[in-house]
Amino acid sequence: QVQLIESGGGLVQPGDSLRLSCEISGASERELRPMALGWFRESPGKEREFGGAITWIGGEIYYGDLVNGRFTISRDLAALTSNMRKHSLGTGDTAVYYCAAGTFWRSAYSSAAKDYTQWGEGTKVTGYS
């Protein structure tokens, strides 16, 4: 069974950068082929928001509206890890950040959380001034 583990969260000051990682385990080659990894965040009092996604084999990257050029997503095939680097952080970025895996045959990815079947437990980022 595919498992995801996020890491890299913590306290950040305005303007800081941070790299979040998502390690994948338990996925066969057959499962990885149509897989896309999505990055979401859940801020206090808000619904889960789509940050971006990366297709596992092709490496195509798609960003959500909340990114505004401040997030960079990548993946390392050999290490079975996806990273999301965030720049110019502020208190508005306080959230629990999740990575999620989904299987997509007809489209490359989805921005809807419901389309991802495996989720990590999240890593918390707290911005303070």
Side-chain angles (χ1 to χ4, degrees):
Q1 186 175 351
V2 176
Q3 292 187 319
L4 306 172
I5 300 176
E6 302 94 336
S7 61
L11 297 174
V12 294
Q13 289 185 314
D16 278 354
S17 295
L18 195 67
R19 187 182 75 172
L20 305 180
S21 294
C22 174
E23 185 178 339
I24 305 167
S25 63
S28 66
E29 246 185 76
R30 186 176 178 181
E31 288 171 310
L32 288 172
R33 264 186 235 122
M35 182 183 291
L37 278 184
W39 283 93
F40 294 80
R41 75 177 186 188
E42 195 168 304
S43 304
K46 292 185 180 180
E47 291 188 358
R48 203 163 285 190
E49 299 175 283
F50 174 69
I54 184 166
T55 61
W56 188 252
I57 296 300
E60 294 92 2
I61 302 169
Y62 306 89
Y63 291 105
D65 292 338
L66 69 88
V67 169
N68 198 24
R70 296 185 301 122
F71 296 178
T72 303
I73 295 173
S74 62
R75 56 93 171 97
D76 184 329
L77 289 172
L80 289 175
T81 302
S82 174
N83 297 309
M84 181 169 73
R85 185 172 291 277
K86 302 160 61 195
H87 311 280
S88 302
L89 290 167
T91 55
D93 294 307
T94 295
V96 178
Y97 288 77
Y98 298 91
C99 68
T103 299
F104 300 95
W105 294 104
R106 297 188 176 184
S107 60
Y109 79 106
S110 171
S111 61
K114 65 177 178 61
D115 293 329
Y116 292 81
T117 53
Q118 304 295 332
W119 290 79
E121 293 190 355
T123 184
K124 188 172 183 179
V125 174
T126 303
Y128 67 99
S129 55

